[in-house]
Every structure is written in structure tokens, then in C-alpha cells.
Amino acid sequence: MGQRNIFVVGLNDFNRARLEQLRGAQDYRFHGVIEPAEVYDTEVFPIEDMLSRAEATLRDFDGPVDAIVGYMDFPVSTMLPLLCERFGTRTASLESLLKCEHKYWSRLVQREVIGNYIPRFTAFDPFDDEALSKIGQAGLYFPFFVKPIKSSGSRLGFRIDSPEDFIMATGRLRDEIGLISEPFNFVLEQASLPEAVRAVDGGHCMAEEIIGGWQCTVEGYVFEGEVVPYGIVDSIRYPQVLSFFCYRYPSRLPARIQSRMEELTRTIMAHIGYDNAAFNIEFFWDEVQNRIWLLEINTRISQSHCDLFEKVDGVSHQQVTVDLALGQRPDMPHREGEYAVAGKFFYRVFFVDATIVSVPDPEAIAALERRFPGTHIELQVTPGMRLSELPEQDSYSYALALVWMGADSDEALEANYARLAEELVFAFEDIIG
């Protein structure tokens, strides 16, 4: 058998290098579909046009199309079932994917089998001037959280403590929700939806009871109906804010809590009917109440976690995505990596906005990476940029740099990052605090 052709939506050089280190990669040829900048560096997603161009690229290819994969959230995740159906390659069905990604439909399905592990919720129209009173009628009171029915990352998510907060949040939502609602509605039109779900399209939002605690992500896959969780990553936030400080693997949650989260994962993914694809589920453990909450389901591996699995287990969990797309049980190692623990850190500023004057130069970055073996630093900004130009940010801060590190212990990992962060020097002007 010759090399198998695997097409990756939004393939960039960084991910190509990782993919070529996977088990069996010598038998694969990786090809890009859709330029990386169209899915990484923008908030505008002309998904119908992107699908058309992707299909043309695949049809023009002189050879078999053995697999089509991607690692990004919207729009890549929702494009894959449509492309795979057209070319007869393996992935989850569009409807099972939407039962995860359409936040209202997902909560309805979750309530059917794990209702004690989800918050109270209701959908609302951000353009409805009576929305706040209707949320109250549904039994949700301050504080609560709002977010779009379909969002990307933490964008346009807000904690609501007062009517003034709600007015501010809906103002932002009215201005910006169309960037995702219009392309997401195109995807919804391709699916068979219950009427209760079809009435709540991409222009709607969710209001949910505030949940919290120790946050983590269960990474898993489904292969021919078998749900397999294979790793849990801790998500650690900055104190008193919603912004992430780091992702850490392996999780330090108590073993019994990890086991229960894995049980819940098997229950909900089997109930949804999701199959032959990777996923991850974000959970909270409220230690005070000893209560587990399911936050959301994502229909992909977490790209942020690839390096963590490589450092600790020996290979990026892109292995899972590629194997599944080829119809193979994933060949994912366990604890065969160079480090006992690994983290992805977010170097942030908490400005409303500012102009970047200077950033660490390549020589300084290279020197830091040499000082801390196993470290990789990716700057997210360049001189002259306004922070507000950065795509895919949360509503409270800006990530100036991403830092991946490995170590022999949690304590060493945190100490190394603290020393490194002191030497990442940025300068700003026109700061709006």
C-alpha cells in the first residue's frame, strides 16, 4: 500500500512538524486545505465559500482522499462532517456534532441523562428588549453567565451581576454576534433539527447559572461506539477573573473525581451518538459542595494540549484524530514522554486596550528557550498593533505570548515559568486601563 493522503483544514507549519512525528507518519502524506490565516487569524468566516473552495481542492487532487481532519473550533469543526460526507471519509455525523456544539441543544440532551450535573439554563434573544425579564421568569437570577449559542473560545462570554452588566453584554452581543451566527446558521440549515432547536438559531444566546470550582478537560474519543477518555488536563485561571493562566497535564484532581468525570463522559457521549471522532469535555469540580458540573463539549482535540501530551505521554494527541479518520483504533501511548508534567501558560495583560510599542526580539526568545529546555514561546503580538486587533480573546484580557514548558514536578514547572515571565518584556502606549 502506498502512502495515505490526509488532508488537514488550516494546516500550518507548526502542526505539520508535529504530525510528522506521529506513530505511522512515515506512511502518511499531509496536505493543507484552506490557508491557516483563514481559520487562525480572523473572526470572519465565509463558511459557504470556504467549503466550496475546500471541496474544489479535494476534487482536483490527483490521488485518493483517505482522511480529512482538523483541530480548530468553529468553523473548522463544523466543516468536517460536511466535507467528510461528500468524500466518504470517517468522522462524526453532523447532527451528533451539533448536539455538542449548539449550546442549547447540548444542554437539552445532557439534561436527559445527567441532569444533576448541569446548571440551570435558558436561551434568549439578545435583540429582545424584554430578554432580562424572561430570563428571570425562567428561574435565573443574578449572578448568571451569558454566551452565544455558538461561540469560539471564551469570546463574548460575560458574567452578569446587575442589569447594567446585562445591558453592556447585550450591547456587545448585538454588535458582534453576527460574525458567528450567520455562518453557523448556514451549517444548521444542512442538518435535521428538532423544532425546539431550530427555533433557537445562531443569533440566540444562553443564560446559565454560575458554576465553578476546579476546572479541567477530559480528552477522549469514540471508536466504533466505544467511548474512551484518555487524559485529563487542569485549566487554571488567574485569581478573581475568567482568564486562563495555564493548562497543566496530568490533572491533580483526586482519583475518585477523575473516575466519576470519565463515567459521565462515557454516559453523555454514548447518549449523543457521537462516533468515530475525538472530543473533549470541560468540567468543574466544586470542592466545597463536592459537586461535578459539565461546562461544555467540544468536538475536537484541544490543540492547546498537543504539546502537553507530547511532553508527558510521548506523542501529540493529534495521533487520535489521524487514527480515527483512517478508521483505526488510536495508537496513543501513555507516560512515555520526557517530562512528568507539562503546562501551557498564557502571558497576559489586563488592559481594555493599548498599542504595542515593543516585544521581545527573536534572540531573547531563543535564549529563554535554551535556558529552559523543552520550552516553546509563541508571541501573539507585533509592534504597532492595538490589543483590540487580536482575534479569539476573552472579554477581560489579552494573551501577549503563549509558553509551553515541561518539568519533573508541578513545583518546578511553576517556578520555571515565573522566572521566564519576568524576562518577557513588552512596552505599550495609549493604554486604556
Side-chain angles (χ1 to χ4, degrees):
M1 180 186 292
Q3 286 186 311
R4 305 179 80 179
N5 296 300
I6 299 168
F7 289 82
V8 184
V9 181
L11 178 63
N12 60 17
D13 292 340
F14 184 63
N15 278 310
R16 181 184 290 277
R18 276 217 187 92
L19 288 165
E20 291 173 349
Q21 299 301 312
L22 298 183
R23 295 180 171 191
Q26 70 275 6
D27 298 322
Y28 307 149
R29 292 177 62 204
F30 295 102
H31 310 270
V33 182
I34 302 295
E35 287 299 313
E38 295 190 61
V39 294
Y40 284 94
D41 302 323
T42 182
E43 294 179 350
V44 179
F45 305 116
I47 195 166
E48 191 169 0
D49 175 63
M50 294 168 76
L51 277 167
S52 177
R53 287 186 287 115
E55 183 172 357
T57 297
L58 292 162
R59 294 206 183 280
D60 289 345
F61 180 70
D62 184 18
V65 176
D66 296 300
I68 309 169
V69 301
Y71 307 106
M72 292 292 291
D73 197 356
F74 190 82
V76 174
S77 58
T78 47
M79 290 171 62
L80 289 174
L82 300 173
L83 286 172
C84 289
E85 182 179 29
R86 295 172 190 180
F87 289 88
T89 60
R90 287 167 67 107
T91 195
S93 69
L94 178 60
E95 283 75 18
S96 68
L97 178 140
L98 289 172
K99 287 179 184 178
C100 304
E101 293 210 6
H102 186 296
K103 295 187 187 301
Y104 183 63
W105 194 4
S106 190
R107 286 300 192 207
L108 293 177
V109 174
Q110 292 164 30
R111 190 166 62 187
E112 293 170 357
V113 290
I114 57 169
N116 290 334
Y117 299 90
I118 65 172
R120 288 174 294 166
F121 65 93
T122 189
F124 71 93
D125 180 352
F127 295 91
D128 181 359
D129 291 335
E130 302 300 317
L132 184 57
S133 64
K134 292 177 181 177
I135 289 170
Q137 291 166 15
L140 280 170
Y141 309 102
F142 301 125
F144 56 86
F145 197 77
V146 300
K147 55 189 173 183
I149 285 293
K150 176 61 196 154
S151 61
S152 182
S154 301
R155 190 168 169 272
L156 295 180
F158 302 93
R159 179 186 169 105
I160 306 300
D161 289 289
S162 67
E164 292 75 20
D165 286 348
F166 189 75
I167 292 169
M168 180 279 295
T170 52
R172 284 278 305 278
L173 287 161
R174 290 177 181 186
D175 287 343
E176 300 178 37
I177 197 171
L179 291 171
I180 287 186
S181 67
E182 292 179 14
F184 189 57
N185 284 343
F186 168 78
V187 174
L188 294 180
E189 290 168 4
Q190 318 305 310
S192 175
L193 306 176
E195 282 306 310
V197 174
R198 186 169 295 281
V200 181
D201 68 8
H204 285 72
C205 294
M206 292 283 284
E208 293 192 342
E209 177 185 5
I210 295 288
I211 57 176
W214 185 329
Q215 187 172 354
C216 66
T217 301
V218 176
E219 295 278 357
Y221 63 84
V222 189
F223 177 68
E224 296 184 353
E226 180 187 0
V227 183
V228 182
Y230 58 84
I232 301 181
V233 179
D234 291 333
S235 302
I236 301 167
R237 295 180 186 268
Y238 282 83
Q240 308 303 316
V241 294
L242 293 173
S243 303
F244 286 112
F245 170 63
C246 76
Y247 302 141
R248 178 184 62 198
Y249 179 66
S251 173
R252 293 298 181 260
L253 279 165
R256 63 183 176 82
I257 299 300
Q258 294 191 47
S259 295
R260 184 61 181 138
M261 288 177 175
E262 290 173 351
E263 290 174 13
L264 293 169
T265 294
R266 294 186 186 97
T267 298
I268 186 57
M269 298 311 292
H271 181 66
I272 285 171
Y274 190 85
D275 202 4
N276 298 315
F279 66 87
N280 68 69
I281 303 183
E282 297 176 54
F283 286 99
F284 284 113
W285 176 46
D286 183 333
E287 188 172 2
V288 175
Q289 299 185 54
N290 192 27
R291 184 166 186 178
I292 293 171
W293 298 101
L294 190 154
L295 177 59
E296 65 181 19
I297 306 171
N298 300 301
T299 57
R300 52 175 171 75
I301 64 166
S302 171
Q303 195 169 199
S304 287
H305 299 162
C306 289
D307 188 74
L308 310 187
F309 280 93
E310 185 174 295
K311 282 181 166 53
V312 175
D313 288 338
V315 69
S316 164
H317 64 160
Q318 290 162 307
Q319 185 80 50
V320 170
T321 300
V322 169
D323 285 343
L324 289 169
L326 291 170
Q328 304 166 176
R329 180 178 292 277
D331 183 20
M332 189 69 197
H334 184 72
R335 305 298 188 266
E336 296 180 17
E338 186 175 351
Y339 300 95
V341 60
K344 176 187 177 180
F345 295 87
F346 298 81
Y347 184 95
R348 297 184 182 274
V349 291
F350 293 83
F351 302 148
V352 173
D353 207 353
T355 299
I356 297 103
V357 175
S358 66
V359 304
D361 60 38
E363 291 76 17
I365 295 297
L368 285 170
E369 290 179 340
R370 286 193 299 270
R371 276 184 57 196
F372 299 95
T375 293
H376 176 71
I377 302 169
E378 278 193 8
L379 299 185
Q380 304 298 294
V381 295
T382 56
M385 283 182 62
R386 292 290 286 174
L387 290 174
S388 54
E389 296 172 13
L390 276 168
E392 298 297 325
Q393 301 297 301
D394 63 37
S395 301
Y396 302 93
S397 67
Y398 296 97
L400 305 182
L402 307 177
V403 181
W404 289 265
M405 306 184 80
D408 294 331
S409 68
D410 291 336
E411 295 76 17
L413 183 70
E414 292 174 13
N416 288 346
Y417 175 71
R419 288 160 55 204
L420 180 147
E422 288 179 354
E423 300 188 37
L424 282 177
V425 180
F426 298 80
F428 308 91
E429 63 185 10
D430 304 323
I431 296 172
I432 303 174

